[in-house]
């Protein structure tokens, strides 16, 4: 048995935890006592120079396997049937993705936050690709700026308003056209600085009268907003097309089917607008029309006459959808009242042309699950699943040490693959059967589960991978190397 297990792992020398103790400073020692340190791939710890010893210890603390039993997993009691009306909302509450703090306001829990951060990373990559720079604007937006553009009145009770001790008015920003335009206006004088593309991914606020469906209609949410500034309308239009393409790239990388629909410009204002929708009959609150003759799509407002504006056909399909993105060609809607000018080559003063572009980040996080779920299991867009791989070793019992060795060895080897670093989790709740933990892994929507059952110590090719997103297809009789090869090929990450 010993021979077999050693063939499954690289040569390592066993070091007892006690052996490390006497060379470890007391604060680290206390921390290490909490760790299960069984094997290290270094020759010995005693003979090392102090600097090497230090780096070994740091490495050991750092590479400590991520285990499910040590993670905070708040499971929320689900309110009575009827109060929760979308599948994704129910699944998020039941599986510790978020916790409701007050009406329409949520605490994002560790797994949910990992998904959000992956989504942000993906968006950052696509924004950088079109030359946009990231900034961060304040949540407190001064009333005086909103008065200049007339939105303080127009917004009515949609926004959260507040006053400071000096009776100066603010709102909690739902979008940031005013702040960014004033800032750019104060900085910019010359045409050669243009175009400017600034975006942020921050909390936004809206006083929804009846928040529901969790992040699909909440009061506090994460949004990406991009603002672009141009010398000419032509330039603004070119950027508009670039951003639409970036949005398509983001949704394609998430493998989501989306509809790009022409839209009216509403409260934001401007001359041209498109929305990005996920078709969702049950929960979607927007109505989108698609022309059966030419494929044109538009929202309810632009298709009031129930006639395709592109080919005049009246053969239209209508369906409910969730809006996840919005693009506006703003013209001078904000730059004019806020005095955002630039000087041309001929030293003439001109008003800037603008575009603004929103993506509902926390909304995408939930809407994607709403459209991908089978009704019972969380199904993330694979790219942003909180962890790509969960390892499920045999339950507590005979040969526990060998199972643990195989598990930790597999974990460390997967960790050393750059694209999989941080993507591996061990379900070390060894009092629970493999079967039950597999059921839970499916529910939580980890794309791949590696099962280390009895076969794994009976024979070299005794490992199993469950491809959860492909109808939980089971791939058996794999060696350790085959498992690693398979996961390297199939698991995906936002790491570049
Ligand atoms: Zn048409």
């Amino acid at each position: 048995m010993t021979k077999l297990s050693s063939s499954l792992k690289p040569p390592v020398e066993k070091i007892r935890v006690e052996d490390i103790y006497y060379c470890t400073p007391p604060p680290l020692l206390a921390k290490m006592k909490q760790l299960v340190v069984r094997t290290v791939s270094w020759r010995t710890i005693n003979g090392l120079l102090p600097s090497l010893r230090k780096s070994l210890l740091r490495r050991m603390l750092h590479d400590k396997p991520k285990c499910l039993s040590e993670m905070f997993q708040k499971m929320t009691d689900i309110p009575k049937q009827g109060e929760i009306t979308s599948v994704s909302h129910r699944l998020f509450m039941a599986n510790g993705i978020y916790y409701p703090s007050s009406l329409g306001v949520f605490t994002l829990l560790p797994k949910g936050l990992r998904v959000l951060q992956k989504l942000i990373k993906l968006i950052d990559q696509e924004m950088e690709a079109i030359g946009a720079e990231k900034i961060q604007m304040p949540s407190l937006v001064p009333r005086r700026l909103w008065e200049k553009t007339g939105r303080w009145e127009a917004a009515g009770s949609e926004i959260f308003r507040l006053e400071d001790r000096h009776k100066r008015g603010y709102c909690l920003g739902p979008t940031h056209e005013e702040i960014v335009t004033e800032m750019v206006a104060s900085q910019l004088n010359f045409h050669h600085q243009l175009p400017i593309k600034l975006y942020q991914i921050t909390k936004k606020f809206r006083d929804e009268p009846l928040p529901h469906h969790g992040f699909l209609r909440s009061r506090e949410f994460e949004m990406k907003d991009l603002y672009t500034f141009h010398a000419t309308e032509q330039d603004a239009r070119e950027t508009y097309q670039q951003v639409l393409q970036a949005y398509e790239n983001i949704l394609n990388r998430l493998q989501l089917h989306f509809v790009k629909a022409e839209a009216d410009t509403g409260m934001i204002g401007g001359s041209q607008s498109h929305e990005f929708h996920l078709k969702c009959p049950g929960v979607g609150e927007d109505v989108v029309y698609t022309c059966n003759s030419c494929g044109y799509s538009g929202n309810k407002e632009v298709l009031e006459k129930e006639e395709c504006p592109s080919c005049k056909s009246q053969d239209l399909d209508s369906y409910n959808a969730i809006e996840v993105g919005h693009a506006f060609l703003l013209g001078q809607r904000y730059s004019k009242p806020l005095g955002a000018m630039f000087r041309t080559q001929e030293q003439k003063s001109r008003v800037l042309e603008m575009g603004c572009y929103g993506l509902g980040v926390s909304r995408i996080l939930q809407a994607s699950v709403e459209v991908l779920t089978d009704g019972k299991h969380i199904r993330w867009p694979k790219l942003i699943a909180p962890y790509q791989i969960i390892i499920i070793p045999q339950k507590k019992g005979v040969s526990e040490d060998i199972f643990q060795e195989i598990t930790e060895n597999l974990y460390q080897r997967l960790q050393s693959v750059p694209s999989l670093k941080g993507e591996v989790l061990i379900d070390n709740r060894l009092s629970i059967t493999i079967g039950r933990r597999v059921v839970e892994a499916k529910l939580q929507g980890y794309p791949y589960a590696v099962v280390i059952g009895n076969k794994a110590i009976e024979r070299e090719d005794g490992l199993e991978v469950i491809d959860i997103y492909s109808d939980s297809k089971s791939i058996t009789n794999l060696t350790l190397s085959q498992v690693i090869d398979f996961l390297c090929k199939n698991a995906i990450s936002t790491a570049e």
Side-chain angles (χ1 to χ4, degrees):
M1 211 183 280
T2 318
K3 197 170 160 244
L4 193 55
S5 87
S6 69
S7 74
L8 284 168
K9 58 196 182 61
V12 295
E13 189 172 338
K14 279 196 176 183
I15 294 177
R16 286 174 304 146
V17 176
E18 294 86 325
D19 292 337
I20 307 170
Y21 280 173
Y22 80 90
C23 64
T24 309
L28 262 186
L29 182 66
K31 198 154 187 193
M32 292 197 57
K33 276 183 178 166
Q34 303 163 2
L35 305 180
V36 187
V37 183
R38 289 265 158 79
T39 57
V40 286
S41 55
W42 287 48
R43 216 164 275 243
T44 175
I45 217 165
N46 300 346
L48 295 173
L49 294 167
S51 60
L52 282 177
R53 201 182 291 150
K54 211 167 153 187
S55 94
L56 170 62
L57 290 169
R58 202 183 306 128
R59 218 177 124 128
M60 292 170 87
L61 291 168
H62 186 72
D63 288 349
K64 179 180 173 311
K66 204 164 270 175
C67 292
L68 201 56
S69 70
E70 289 154 19
M71 288 166 61
F72 179 75
Q73 295 218 87
K74 174 90 184 97
M75 304 290 183
T76 309
D77 292 332
I78 307 295
K80 293 187 295 291
Q81 204 81 18
E83 286 176 41
I84 288 189
T85 45
S86 70
V87 177
S88 55
H89 188 25
R90 176 177 300 275
L91 287 170
F92 280 9
M93 298 267 277
N95 292 287
I97 303 302
Y98 57 40
Y99 177 82
S101 159
S102 63
L103 194 63
V105 181
F106 296 85
T107 295
L108 206 49
L109 298 172
K111 271 178 294 178
L113 185 59
R114 275 182 69 90
V115 178
L116 181 79
Q117 282 165 341
K118 287 184 173 187
L119 195 49
I120 289 174
K121 192 168 171 194
L122 165 67
I123 295 169
D124 283 341
Q125 288 168 356
E126 295 297 333
M127 287 296 105
E128 276 164 30
I130 58 166
E133 291 176 279
K134 199 171 190 178
I135 58 170
Q136 187 171 303
M137 290 185 265
S139 294
L140 283 177
V141 176
R143 173 179 176 161
R144 61 171 179 88
L145 285 181
W146 271 54
E147 280 176 341
K148 279 191 193 172
T149 58
R151 285 214 293 177
W152 186 259
E153 283 297 315
S157 49
E158 286 287 294
I159 52 171
F160 287 103
R161 296 162 198 262
L162 64 159
E163 268 183 356
D164 68 10
R165 64 181 71 201
H166 307 295
K167 304 278 174 221
R168 278 187 287 254
Y170 297 86
C171 71
L172 294 179
T175 60
H176 287 77
E177 285 81 1
E178 287 83 355
I179 288 200
V180 75
T181 308
E182 192 205 37
M183 191 264 294
V184 169
S186 75
Q187 298 296 313
L188 194 84
N189 266 310
F190 302 102
H191 63 94
H192 60 251
Q193 290 176 273
L194 297 168
I196 289 172
K197 301 169 192 170
L198 298 171
Y199 80 102
Q200 62 172 352
I201 299 176
T202 56
K203 285 281 182 65
K204 309 291 188 298
F205 303 85
R206 194 161 297 153
D207 191 355
E208 285 289 344
L210 293 165
H212 55 280
H213 298 334
F215 279 157
L216 296 184
R217 199 154 289 280
S218 59
R219 291 182 148 166
E220 186 179 319
F221 47 93
E222 204 79 32
M223 197 173 124
K224 190 280 311 172
D225 40 338
L226 162 70
Y227 305 91
T228 64
F229 299 86
H230 313 267
T232 64
E233 197 193 325
Q234 175 61 22
D235 186 45
R237 281 187 188 279
E238 275 164 29
T239 298
Y240 187 83
Q241 293 306 325
Q242 271 182 9
V243 181
L244 293 189
Q245 185 58 51
Y247 280 17
E248 289 186 24
N249 295 348
I250 290 165
L251 296 169
N252 281 332
R253 284 177 70 188
L254 294 171
Q255 298 177 323
L256 293 169
H257 296 291
F258 62 89
V259 181
K260 184 174 83 178
E262 201 165 323
D264 69 321
T265 49
M267 173 180 146
I268 302 278
S271 63
Q272 194 185 0
S273 177
H274 280 89
E275 290 170 352
F276 288 80
H277 289 274
L278 304 184
K279 206 168 176 173
C280 188
V283 168
E285 295 182 349
D286 285 53
V287 179
V288 178
Y289 290 83
T290 297
C291 171
N292 287 323
S293 302
C294 72
Y296 170 93
S297 294
N299 75 4
K300 201 167 62 186
E301 288 73 21
V302 298
L303 280 158
E304 257 168 343
K305 282 180 274 172
E306 298 195 356
E307 181 186 276
C308 171
S310 164
C311 74
K312 308 295 170 200
S313 163
Q314 297 193 335
D315 181 14
L316 304 172
D317 249 1
S318 75
Y319 45 88
N320 283 66
I322 304 170
E323 185 194 328
V324 293
H326 212 149
F328 297 93
L329 203 56
L330 291 173
Q332 303 179 342
R333 164 74 180 85
Y334 294 88
S335 43
K336 209 168 187 174
L338 293 164
M341 318 283 281
F342 73 103
R343 217 178 286 276
T344 65
Q345 232 159 348
E346 297 78 36
Q347 297 300 313
K348 280 186 185 143
S349 249
R350 286 250 178 83
V351 178
L352 284 164
E353 295 285 329
M354 279 180 68
C356 82
Y357 307 86
L359 265 188
V361 182
S362 40
R363 189 182 276 186
I364 292 174
L365 185 152
Q366 188 173 335
S368 59
V369 171
E370 187 67 31
V371 299
L372 294 174
T373 179
D374 58 2
K376 296 192 182 95
H377 304 94
I378 294 183
R379 286 294 172 270
W380 303 103
K382 202 165 123 183
L383 184 64
I384 57 168
Y387 293 90
Q388 290 287 308
I389 300 156
I390 185 157
I391 304 175
I392 305 177
Q394 185 55 281
K395 202 180 160 195
K396 216 175 185 60
V398 196
S399 312
E400 203 180 321
D401 280 359
I402 298 176
F403 284 117
Q404 177 153 4
E405 267 182 44
I406 300 173
T407 303
E408 285 186 15
N409 182 28
L410 174 63
Y411 178 89
Q412 296 299 355
R413 285 181 61 181
L414 289 170
Q415 274 288 97
S416 67
V417 177
S419 66
L420 298 179
K421 192 164 174 59
E423 292 295 335
V424 192
L425 189 61
I426 301 173
D427 190 344
N428 64 335
R429 298 169 305 163
L430 300 183
S431 58
I432 306 175
T433 62
I434 287 182
R436 265 192 60 198
R437 280 177 287 157
V438 168
V439 167
E440 211 173 287
K442 290 179 187 171
L443 187 66
Q444 298 267 343
Y446 301 109
Y448 300 98
V450 184
V451 174
I452 302 176
N454 284 334
K455 266 202 218 160
I457 55 171
E458 285 160 9
R459 39 196 275 206
E460 210 168 318
D461 62 350
L463 295 169
E464 177 187 359
V465 172
I466 302 173
D467 184 346
I468 292 180
Y469 282 28
S470 303
D471 287 330
S472 295
K473 189 174 67 185
S474 166
I475 305 141
T476 51
N477 302 337
L478 298 174
T479 64
L480 191 74
S481 301
Q482 287 170 329
V483 168
I484 293 165
D485 279 353
F486 177 87
L487 294 172
C488 283
K489 271 190 208 119
N490 293 284
I492 46 175
S493 84
T494 46
E496 277 168 328

